[in-house]
Amino acid sequence: MIRGLMQDRPLTIPGLLTRAETSFGHKRIITGGTEETVATWAEITPRVRRLAHAMDALQVPAGACVGTFAWNSQRHVELYLAIPSSGRILHTVNHRLHGEQISFIVNDAADDILFVDRTLLPVVWPLVSSFTSVRHVIVMDDGGDVPLPDDPRILDYEDLLRGQPKTPIETVIEDEHAAASLCYTSGTTGNPKGVLYSHRSVVLHSLLLLGADVFALSESDVIAPIVPMFHVNAWGLPYAAMQCGADLVLPGPGTAPAELAGLLSRHRVTFSAAVSTVWRQLLSELDGHDLSGLRHLVCGGGAVDDALSLAYQTTIGLPLSNAWGMTETSPVVTTARLGTAHRGLSAEESRQVLGTPGPAVPLTEIRVMSDDGVEQPRDGASPGELQVSGTTIASAYFGTDRGAESFTADGWLRTGDVATIDRWGHLRIVDRTKDLVKSGGEWISSVELENAIMAHPEVHEAAVIGVADPRWGERPLACVVPAPGVTLTIEDLRQHLRGRVASWWIPEQIELLEEIPMTATGKWSKQSLRRRFADTASPAVAEDDVKERA
Ligand code: AMP
């Protein structure tokens, strides 16, 4: 072999930091909330260095996980840069999970220190005694009047930075394969599993997003990631903004639909991404806002509802564009687009094409396999299990002996989704094989919910399915068989679940049945249940539950 003679530079997050500072020092990061803040990369990058030095001063070991419980904000961007650039692992935690899951995740990652937005302290602090490895909780004051516990483990973010120099970060990331960040995904069975991204995969994924047939992100864009920064690096958008020099607009704790609509119009946002629940809630708030700056709205993480997309097309002249991905895939694998094959389609047909996941982005491959392991033809009509492969896709889960069954013998990721691919390579999701319920963009584990219900002494058995819901996408419906001879009521069950699971997990619909139908192999037939309850409209979610999620 004759080796090429090109420079060998590792693809690392410090490279993104340098690029943001030297090429785009004047570009802005705006954070919403009670007091909107604006900072440029020229102002943020010295803070990132101070933060890295602060972690050195706290003796956070190289390779340790550093947890974040934070909204989409400037400080969270600083953590996105400082933690991996100084040789530690950024571990973003979903604060909406149930306490037991949060404790499991923090302990599984062995987080050494935690950075917590002050408004999220009421979620994190009560769990602190269950964290086995956490030495400090660094509070980021994002407004509000949450009292600070009088405890030596509590430190203040701005105090820490003030005490440090803005000199270069001492650690040098020499190997682009070094771990950069960690995000946990909920599984159908058992505990959440960690996905460990490398510097290389983060950098490559951020470049992918710039592609003209992907999101076509450029310096002239104003990007508003509404998707939380705890969820798969906000779909890679903050890092993509550093690559291309776009302005970043982040909601901070101001995630109410009216605040989001104001943010999008005030800053003439051009590109935004969220799950369908958010787009649905935002729709009624758009009146009176000038959204003519918008050029692309990504509706990812689930199917696009055509009626919703039509409403956007009618209201602001822009339909929703779908994208497919998973925590395990960084996440973007396919993005909807209109190719040459779609020339001449009507507005309605074009909208429907944009409402499906679309073709695979560069560096990734997709295939659909039959149950007996044969690749299905690309005819748009032969469903099978979607499998994906590429440099931005996980090869294993964090920790040993976990989820090996999710990978094929030839190293592809088994997604658990059922899909078809057409002759132009466009993906269409038919169904999920998983039984998870996706409510408001967040997973509810049917197994965990079933177990919590079955912990009631008067319950014989319980099966949970997802039913369509106009507001949240899906809601759980519980089918419960009472133990013989008892007088179990639905209110008993709801009362029993309070405190056992997050309140927004508690099903509005609980059906008391005489038996749960079985498959031929003696398992519950959730398919029969789904058929039976397909047309059941779920009652409104209790107001408290909505508040908890907002
Ligand atoms: P998560 O790891 O939480 O991001 O969830 C990934 C799962 O969300 C996938 O396995 C799919 O079941 C679902 N999903 C993501 N994107 C789409 C999409 N465009 N259409 C349908 N389902 C999707």
Side-chain angles (χ1 to χ4, degrees):
M1 180 197 69
I2 301 174
R3 273 183 77 93
L5 294 174
M6 308 310 285
Q7 297 182 10
D8 188 12
R9 297 266 189 92
L11 304 175
T12 62
I13 291 173
L16 295 180
L17 179 66
T18 307
R19 182 166 170 80
E21 182 174 36
T22 55
S23 302
F24 308 117
H26 60 295
K27 300 305 297 274
R28 300 169 311 156
I29 293 83
I30 296 160
T31 307
T34 31
E35 276 180 36
E36 198 164 281
T37 61
V38 183
T40 62
W41 287 117
E43 289 163 332
I44 284 179
T45 45
R47 287 171 56 84
V48 170
R49 292 193 203 102
R50 290 181 202 274
L51 180 54
H53 293 314
M55 286 186 281
D56 294 344
L58 291 174
Q59 299 183 329
V60 180
C65 285
V66 174
T68 66
F69 288 84
W71 302 105
N72 292 10
S73 69
Q74 176 195 324
R75 291 196 184 106
H76 212 170
V77 170
E78 291 167 0
L79 292 161
Y80 263 44
L81 285 164
I83 297 170
S85 296
S86 63
R88 286 121 187 164
I89 299 171
L90 166 75
H91 174 207
T92 53
V93 190
N94 179 350
H95 58 260
R96 293 178 188 150
L97 293 173
H98 190 248
E100 272 175 30
Q101 284 175 313
I102 292 179
S103 299
F104 171 83
I105 286 172
V106 167
N107 292 335
D108 193 60
D111 287 338
D112 185 51
I113 58 172
L114 301 178
F115 287 87
V116 182
D117 272 337
R118 186 165 180 168
T119 49
L120 296 176
L121 211 50
V123 175
V124 181
W125 192 252
L127 300 172
V128 121
S129 60
S130 70
F131 299 157
T132 52
S133 52
V134 173
R135 294 184 300 123
H136 292 291
V137 174
I138 295 134
V139 178
M140 304 184 283
D141 199 343
D142 61 341
D145 51 7
V146 172
L148 289 182
D150 184 14
D151 188 293
R153 286 170 294 180
I154 295 262
L155 302 170
D156 176 72
Y157 185 88
E158 293 300 329
D159 283 350
L160 273 187
L161 260 61
R162 227 171 274 127
Q164 297 299 326
K166 55 183 182 188
T167 48
I169 297 173
E170 274 150 33
T171 310
V172 176
I173 310 294
E174 280 165 2
D175 187 346
E176 63 185 13
H177 295 284
S181 51
L182 176 66
C183 184
Y184 278 75
T185 180
S186 314
T188 28
T189 50
N191 283 317
K193 295 194 281 289
V195 179
L196 194 58
Y197 311 104
S198 65
H199 281 258
R200 174 185 159 89
S201 72
V202 169
V203 171
L204 288 175
H205 184 263
S206 67
L207 272 175
L208 289 178
L209 300 190
L210 274 46
D213 277 332
V214 182
F215 293 155
L217 297 173
S218 77
E219 193 268 346
S220 56
D221 272 312
V222 180
I223 303 176
I226 300 177
V227 49
M229 286 175 74
F230 62 67
H231 188 228
V232 210
N233 293 333
W235 297 351
L237 293 169
Y239 291 123
M242 297 168 206
Q243 286 280 20
C244 69
D247 280 338
L248 259 183
V249 174
L250 305 168
T255 53
E259 288 179 82
L260 292 176
L263 208 63
L264 295 181
S265 74
R266 205 163 49 251
H267 299 294
R268 290 203 62 74
V269 166
T270 61
F271 180 100
S272 189
V275 294
S276 63
T277 314
V278 170
W279 294 128
R280 198 167 282 120
Q281 291 174 355
L282 206 56
L283 192 61
S284 55
E285 300 292 338
L286 298 182
D287 243 12
H289 290 288
D290 176 7
L291 295 172
S292 56
L294 283 168
R295 67 164 184 83
H296 196 120
L297 293 179
V298 180
C299 179
V304 167
D305 164 6
D306 188 54
L308 181 65
S309 186
L310 172 62
Y312 269 85
Q313 195 166 35
T314 312
T315 317
I316 62 166
L318 195 62
L320 301 175
S321 290
N322 200 207
W324 184 94
M326 301 171 76
T327 308
E328 290 86 336
T329 64
S330 292
V332 178
V333 174
T334 77
T335 50
R337 82 168 135 86
L338 294 166
T340 48
H342 304 111
R343 279 185 191 149
L345 291 187
S346 67
E348 187 182 346
E349 289 164 332
S350 300
R351 189 184 65 243
Q352 281 161 2
V353 173
L354 290 176
T356 54
V361 300
L363 306 183
T364 65
E365 288 180 77
I366 55 176
R367 70 184 183 193
V368 159
M369 305 296 276
S370 69
D371 284 348
D372 39 11
V374 177
E375 185 165 354
Q376 298 286 66
R378 295 187 165 221
D379 57 6
S382 305
E385 186 191 35
L386 173 63
Q387 299 183 354
V388 296
S389 162
T391 49
T392 50
I393 291 163
S395 63
Y397 287 104
F398 177 66
T400 48
D401 303 336
R402 260 180 226 173
E405 67 285 356
S406 297
F407 300 91
T408 63
D410 60 347
W412 288 55
L413 173 73
R414 304 182 58 180
T415 68
D417 285 0
V418 178
T420 60
I421 302 175
D422 71 15
R423 65 192 161 112
W424 301 293
H426 285 241
L427 177 72
R428 183 182 287 271
I429 302 293
V430 178
D431 197 1
R432 351 187 140 128
T433 46
K434 306 165 190 171
D435 292 322
L436 285 167
V437 181
K438 199 163 201 181
S439 186
E442 304 282 343
W443 289 117
I444 295 176
S445 161
S446 59
V447 175
E448 251 184 74
L449 195 47
E450 284 158 8
N451 287 343
I453 297 171
M454 289 189 290
H456 190 293
E458 293 183 347
V459 169
H460 175 56
E461 54 186 6
V464 170
I465 54 166
V467 288
D469 180 88
R471 182 159 190 199
W472 300 108
E474 272 188 344
R475 289 292 299 149
L477 179 151
C479 302
V480 179
V481 179
V486 300
T487 48
L488 184 65
T489 68
I490 289 170
E491 196 34 52
D492 276 344
L493 283 170
R494 290 176 61 82
Q495 187 58 38
H496 161 82
L497 287 175
R498 284 185 197 112
R500 279 192 163 76
V501 296
S503 61
W504 60 272
W505 278 37
I506 299 176
E508 290 76 46
Q509 285 178 270
I510 299 179
E511 301 285 342
L512 297 179
L513 306 183
E514 279 180 14
E515 60 174 11
I516 290 176
M518 297 277 189
T519 65
T521 54
K523 295 182 184 169
W524 294 329
S525 172
K526 291 199 178 178
Q527 227 175 347
S528 319
L529 290 175
R530 280 197 200 98
R531 271 198 300 273
R532 176 163 170 191
F533 294 107
D535 299 327
T536 323
S538 88
V541 179
E543 199 53 34
D544 280 349
D545 302 351
V546 176
K547 263 189 233 140
E548 183 184 321
R549 262 207 266 206

